[in-house]
Amino acid sequence: AQSVTQLDSQVPVFEEAPVELRCNYSSSVSVYLFWYVQYPNQGLQLLLKYLSGSTLVKGINGFEAEFNKSQTSFHLRKPSVHISDTAEYFCAPPNKLIFGAGTRLAVHP
Amino acid sequence: GAGVSQTPSNKVTEKGKYVELRCDPISGHTALYWYRQSLGQGPEFLIYFQGTGAADDSGLPNDRFFAVRPEGSVSTLKIQRTERGDSAVYLCASSLSIGNNEQFFGPGTRLTVL
């Protein structure tokens, strides 16, 4: 079975600063991973996904993530955040989407 | 095209009452998922359907919870004898099929049990 761990429950950052949200996985089988975002009072939407191929995955809103097999990680990054990026971010495997508690990104002016 | 819709958007009920929450998936999506999200928590898996059958109901917390999808499209989550601890946002999602497909989420139904 596949599981993920998001190490940071909250990440405060100033506008236009870079950000990294960490996700580590454990799996004995092929790895597929998604990042979902939940904006305040909205439903979840897919940010990006890794299924196979290139380990650097680009998503919506300028986010990207790199699948790193040696470090068993799939960290989410953005070089310059905006106030509108304030949201809850979830790393999860597909199918049942076993979510962790998520990481709350709070962007301050 | 229309996304996943859920009705009602808000439901307030009294302890002990029965409630039904409805989910309309995206047309053509054979897989449908139910989650529950409490304040400050990530979504918690409840059950998912492939077509009309429940492929995995291991997340249902107890036998007061039941879900159906009789025609392989609309699904209803039913909660009997509601308790205050059932208060949460109930999320529905659909995907083309089970597997590694993206799940599209509805806006959720906020259930409050008084």
Side-chain angles (χ1 to χ4, degrees), chain B residues 48-83:
Chain B
Y48 80 87
F49 292 85
Q50 175 61 34
T52 59
D56 185 338
D57 64 357
S58 62
L60 295 177
N62 52 59
D63 62 6
R64 293 187 298 105
F65 288 74
F66 190 70
V68 295
R69 194 186 185 200
E71 297 177 359
S73 179
V74 171
S75 175
T76 305
L77 179 65
K78 308 180 181 194
I79 310 173
Q80 299 178 318
R81 305 183 303 279
T82 51
E83 299 177 357

Short mmCIF file of all heavy atoms in Angstrom, two decimals, chain B residues 48-83:
data_model
loop_
_atom_site.label_atom_id
_atom_site.label_comp_id
_atom_site.label_asym_id
_atom_site.label_seq_id
_atom_site.Cartn_x
_atom_site.Cartn_y
_atom_site.Cartn_z
N TYR B 48 -16.20 4.20 -2.19
CA TYR B 48 -16.24 4.54 -3.59
C TYR B 48 -16.94 3.46 -4.41
O TYR B 48 -16.98 2.29 -4.02
CB TYR B 48 -14.87 4.92 -4.15
CG TYR B 48 -13.90 3.83 -4.51
CD1 TYR B 48 -13.93 3.22 -5.77
CD2 TYR B 48 -12.90 3.47 -3.63
CE1 TYR B 48 -13.00 2.26 -6.12
CE2 TYR B 48 -11.96 2.51 -3.97
CZ TYR B 48 -12.01 1.92 -5.21
OH TYR B 48 -11.09 0.96 -5.55
N PHE B 49 -17.51 3.91 -5.52
CA PHE B 49 -18.27 3.07 -6.44
C PHE B 49 -17.57 2.99 -7.79
O PHE B 49 -17.02 3.97 -8.27
CB PHE B 49 -19.67 3.67 -6.69
CG PHE B 49 -20.58 3.65 -5.51
CD1 PHE B 49 -20.54 4.67 -4.56
CD2 PHE B 49 -21.50 2.62 -5.33
CE1 PHE B 49 -21.39 4.66 -3.46
CE2 PHE B 49 -22.35 2.60 -4.25
CZ PHE B 49 -22.30 3.62 -3.31
N GLN B 50 -17.63 1.82 -8.37
CA GLN B 50 -17.29 1.65 -9.78
C GLN B 50 -18.60 1.18 -10.42
O GLN B 50 -19.03 0.06 -10.19
CB GLN B 50 -16.16 0.64 -9.97
CG GLN B 50 -15.85 0.34 -11.42
CD GLN B 50 -15.39 1.56 -12.19
OE1 GLN B 50 -14.73 2.45 -11.69
NE2 GLN B 50 -15.77 1.60 -13.47
N GLY B 51 -19.22 2.06 -11.19
CA GLY B 51 -20.54 1.73 -11.70
C GLY B 51 -21.56 1.76 -10.58
O GLY B 51 -21.58 2.68 -9.76
N THR B 52 -22.37 0.72 -10.50
CA THR B 52 -23.42 0.67 -9.47
C THR B 52 -22.95 0.05 -8.17
O THR B 52 -23.60 0.22 -7.14
CB THR B 52 -24.62 -0.13 -9.98
OG1 THR B 52 -24.19 -1.46 -10.30
CG2 THR B 52 -25.22 0.49 -11.25
N GLY B 53 -21.85 -0.65 -8.21
CA GLY B 53 -21.43 -1.38 -7.02
C GLY B 53 -20.41 -0.64 -6.18
O GLY B 53 -19.54 0.06 -6.69
N ALA B 54 -20.51 -0.82 -4.87
CA ALA B 54 -19.54 -0.23 -3.95
C ALA B 54 -18.25 -1.06 -4.02
O ALA B 54 -18.21 -2.20 -3.55
CB ALA B 54 -20.10 -0.22 -2.54
N ALA B 55 -17.20 -0.46 -4.60
CA ALA B 55 -15.94 -1.19 -4.74
C ALA B 55 -15.19 -1.28 -3.42
O ALA B 55 -14.44 -2.21 -3.19
CB ALA B 55 -15.07 -0.51 -5.80
N ASP B 56 -15.39 -0.28 -2.58
CA ASP B 56 -14.68 -0.24 -1.29
C ASP B 56 -15.46 0.64 -0.34
O ASP B 56 -15.59 1.83 -0.59
CB ASP B 56 -13.26 0.31 -1.50
CG ASP B 56 -12.41 0.26 -0.24
OD1 ASP B 56 -12.95 0.20 0.89
OD2 ASP B 56 -11.18 0.30 -0.37
N ASP B 57 -16.02 0.06 0.71
CA ASP B 57 -16.76 0.85 1.70
C ASP B 57 -16.07 0.82 3.06
O ASP B 57 -16.71 1.04 4.10
CB ASP B 57 -18.21 0.36 1.82
CG ASP B 57 -18.29 -1.08 2.33
OD1 ASP B 57 -17.25 -1.71 2.55
OD2 ASP B 57 -19.43 -1.57 2.51
N SER B 58 -14.78 0.57 3.03
CA SER B 58 -14.04 0.40 4.29
C SER B 58 -13.96 1.66 5.13
O SER B 58 -13.64 1.59 6.31
CB SER B 58 -12.63 -0.12 3.99
OG SER B 58 -11.92 0.83 3.20
N GLY B 59 -14.24 2.82 4.54
CA GLY B 59 -14.14 4.07 5.28
C GLY B 59 -15.42 4.48 5.99
O GLY B 59 -15.41 5.42 6.80
N LEU B 60 -16.51 3.80 5.75
CA LEU B 60 -17.75 4.14 6.45
C LEU B 60 -17.55 3.88 7.94
O LEU B 60 -17.18 2.78 8.34
CB LEU B 60 -18.91 3.31 5.92
CG LEU B 60 -19.30 3.57 4.46
CD1 LEU B 60 -20.43 2.63 4.04
CD2 LEU B 60 -19.73 5.02 4.26
N PRO B 61 -17.82 4.88 8.78
CA PRO B 61 -17.46 4.75 10.20
C PRO B 61 -18.29 3.71 10.98
O PRO B 61 -17.77 3.12 11.92
CB PRO B 61 -17.70 6.15 10.76
CG PRO B 61 -18.54 6.85 9.77
CD PRO B 61 -18.32 6.22 8.46
N ASN B 62 -19.51 3.50 10.60
CA ASN B 62 -20.36 2.51 11.29
C ASN B 62 -21.60 2.24 10.44
O ASN B 62 -21.74 2.80 9.34
CB ASN B 62 -20.76 3.03 12.68
CG ASN B 62 -21.36 4.43 12.62
OD1 ASN B 62 -22.37 4.65 11.95
ND2 ASN B 62 -20.73 5.36 13.31
N ASP B 63 -22.48 1.38 10.93
CA ASP B 63 -23.62 0.97 10.11
C ASP B 63 -24.72 2.03 10.04
O ASP B 63 -25.77 1.78 9.43
CB ASP B 63 -24.18 -0.37 10.60
CG ASP B 63 -24.68 -0.30 12.03
OD1 ASP B 63 -24.71 0.81 12.61
OD2 ASP B 63 -25.04 -1.36 12.56
N ARG B 64 -24.53 3.19 10.62
CA ARG B 64 -25.51 4.26 10.43
C ARG B 64 -25.33 4.93 9.06
O ARG B 64 -26.20 5.65 8.60
CB ARG B 64 -25.36 5.33 11.52
CG ARG B 64 -25.70 4.85 12.93
CD ARG B 64 -25.69 5.99 13.93
NE ARG B 64 -24.37 6.62 14.07
CZ ARG B 64 -24.06 7.81 13.55
NH1 ARG B 64 -24.97 8.50 12.87
NH2 ARG B 64 -22.86 8.30 13.72
N PHE B 65 -24.16 4.68 8.46
CA PHE B 65 -23.84 5.29 7.18
C PHE B 65 -24.04 4.27 6.06
O PHE B 65 -23.59 3.12 6.17
CB PHE B 65 -22.38 5.76 7.15
CG PHE B 65 -22.11 6.97 8.00
CD1 PHE B 65 -22.06 6.87 9.38
CD2 PHE B 65 -21.91 8.21 7.41
CE1 PHE B 65 -21.80 8.00 10.17
CE2 PHE B 65 -21.65 9.33 8.18
CZ PHE B 65 -21.60 9.22 9.56
N PHE B 66 -24.67 4.72 4.98
CA PHE B 66 -24.91 3.84 3.84
C PHE B 66 -24.95 4.69 2.59
O PHE B 66 -25.37 5.85 2.64
CB PHE B 66 -26.25 3.11 4.03
CG PHE B 66 -26.48 2.01 3.04
CD1 PHE B 66 -25.74 0.84 3.10
CD2 PHE B 66 -27.44 2.15 2.05
CE1 PHE B 66 -25.94 -0.18 2.19
CE2 PHE B 66 -27.65 1.13 1.14
CZ PHE B 66 -26.91 -0.04 1.20
N ALA B 67 -24.48 4.16 1.48
CA ALA B 67 -24.52 4.91 0.23
C ALA B 67 -24.99 4.00 -0.89
O ALA B 67 -24.71 2.79 -0.88
CB ALA B 67 -23.16 5.50 -0.11
N VAL B 68 -25.68 4.60 -1.85
CA VAL B 68 -26.17 3.84 -3.00
C VAL B 68 -25.90 4.60 -4.28
O VAL B 68 -25.74 5.83 -4.29
CB VAL B 68 -27.69 3.55 -2.88
CG1 VAL B 68 -27.97 2.64 -1.69
CG2 VAL B 68 -28.48 4.85 -2.78
N ARG B 69 -25.90 3.84 -5.36
CA ARG B 69 -25.72 4.44 -6.69
C ARG B 69 -26.45 3.52 -7.67
O ARG B 69 -25.83 2.83 -8.49
CB ARG B 69 -24.24 4.55 -7.03
CG ARG B 69 -23.94 5.45 -8.21
CD ARG B 69 -22.47 5.42 -8.59
NE ARG B 69 -22.18 6.38 -9.63
CZ ARG B 69 -21.10 6.30 -10.42
NH1 ARG B 69 -20.23 5.31 -10.27
NH2 ARG B 69 -20.89 7.21 -11.34
N PRO B 70 -27.75 3.46 -7.58
CA PRO B 70 -28.56 2.43 -8.25
C PRO B 70 -28.45 2.37 -9.77
O PRO B 70 -28.57 1.29 -10.34
CB PRO B 70 -29.99 2.77 -7.82
CG PRO B 70 -29.95 4.20 -7.39
CD PRO B 70 -28.60 4.43 -6.85
N GLU B 71 -28.21 3.50 -10.43
CA GLU B 71 -28.15 3.48 -11.88
C GLU B 71 -26.76 3.83 -12.39
O GLU B 71 -26.59 4.13 -13.58
CB GLU B 71 -29.21 4.42 -12.45
CG GLU B 71 -30.63 3.97 -12.10
CD GLU B 71 -31.69 4.93 -12.60
OE1 GLU B 71 -31.33 5.96 -13.21
OE2 GLU B 71 -32.89 4.65 -12.38
N GLY B 72 -25.80 3.84 -11.51
CA GLY B 72 -24.42 4.10 -11.92
C GLY B 72 -24.11 5.54 -12.22
O GLY B 72 -23.06 5.84 -12.80
N SER B 73 -25.02 6.43 -11.79
CA SER B 73 -24.76 7.85 -12.00
C SER B 73 -24.88 8.58 -10.66
O SER B 73 -23.92 8.60 -9.90
CB SER B 73 -25.74 8.43 -13.02
OG SER B 73 -25.50 9.80 -13.20
N VAL B 74 -26.06 9.11 -10.35
CA VAL B 74 -26.28 9.82 -9.10
C VAL B 74 -26.07 8.89 -7.91
O VAL B 74 -26.43 7.71 -7.96
CB VAL B 74 -27.71 10.39 -9.07
CG1 VAL B 74 -28.06 10.94 -7.70
CG2 VAL B 74 -27.87 11.46 -10.15
N SER B 75 -25.49 9.44 -6.85
CA SER B 75 -25.30 8.66 -5.63
C SER B 75 -25.91 9.42 -4.46
O SER B 75 -25.95 10.66 -4.44
CB SER B 75 -23.81 8.44 -5.36
OG SER B 75 -23.62 7.77 -4.12
N THR B 76 -26.41 8.65 -3.50
CA THR B 76 -26.96 9.22 -2.28
C THR B 76 -26.25 8.63 -1.08
O THR B 76 -26.12 7.41 -0.96
CB THR B 76 -28.47 8.94 -2.16
OG1 THR B 76 -29.13 9.40 -3.33
CG2 THR B 76 -29.06 9.65 -0.94
N LEU B 77 -25.78 9.51 -0.21
CA LEU B 77 -25.19 9.08 1.06
C LEU B 77 -26.26 9.26 2.13
O LEU B 77 -26.85 10.33 2.26
CB LEU B 77 -23.96 9.93 1.41
CG LEU B 77 -23.26 9.62 2.74
CD1 LEU B 77 -22.65 8.23 2.71
CD2 LEU B 77 -22.19 10.67 3.05
N LYS B 78 -26.52 8.19 2.86
CA LYS B 78 -27.61 8.20 3.84
C LYS B 78 -27.02 8.02 5.23
O LYS B 78 -26.20 7.14 5.46
CB LYS B 78 -28.59 7.06 3.54
CG LYS B 78 -29.08 7.06 2.10
CD LYS B 78 -30.05 5.92 1.82
CE LYS B 78 -30.48 5.95 0.36
NZ LYS B 78 -31.65 5.10 0.11
N ILE B 79 -27.47 8.85 6.14
CA ILE B 79 -27.00 8.76 7.52
C ILE B 79 -28.22 8.63 8.43
O ILE B 79 -29.08 9.51 8.46
CB ILE B 79 -26.17 9.98 7.94
CG1 ILE B 79 -25.08 10.28 6.90
CG2 ILE B 79 -25.53 9.74 9.31
CD1 ILE B 79 -24.31 11.56 7.16
N GLN B 80 -28.27 7.55 9.18
CA GLN B 80 -29.39 7.32 10.12
C GLN B 80 -28.99 7.77 11.52
O GLN B 80 -27.81 7.78 11.87
CB GLN B 80 -29.73 5.83 10.17
CG GLN B 80 -30.16 5.24 8.85
CD GLN B 80 -30.43 3.74 8.97
OE1 GLN B 80 -29.67 3.02 9.62
NE2 GLN B 80 -31.50 3.28 8.37
N ARG B 81 -29.99 8.14 12.29
CA ARG B 81 -29.78 8.48 13.72
C ARG B 81 -28.56 9.37 13.89
O ARG B 81 -27.60 9.04 14.58
CB ARG B 81 -29.65 7.20 14.55
CG ARG B 81 -30.82 6.23 14.39
CD ARG B 81 -30.66 5.01 15.29
NE ARG B 81 -29.41 4.30 15.06
CZ ARG B 81 -29.19 3.45 14.09
NH1 ARG B 81 -30.16 3.20 13.20
NH2 ARG B 81 -28.03 2.83 13.97
N THR B 82 -28.58 10.51 13.22
CA THR B 82 -27.42 11.39 13.20
C THR B 82 -26.97 11.77 14.61
O THR B 82 -27.78 11.91 15.53
CB THR B 82 -27.70 12.68 12.42
OG1 THR B 82 -28.92 13.28 12.91
CG2 THR B 82 -27.83 12.41 10.94
N GLU B 83 -25.65 11.95 14.73
CA GLU B 83 -25.03 12.36 15.99
C GLU B 83 -24.26 13.65 15.75
O GLU B 83 -23.90 13.97 14.62
CB GLU B 83 -24.08 11.26 16.48
CG GLU B 83 -24.77 9.94 16.74
CD GLU B 83 -23.81 8.85 17.16
OE1 GLU B 83 -22.58 9.10 17.19
OE2 GLU B 83 -24.29 7.74 17.46
#
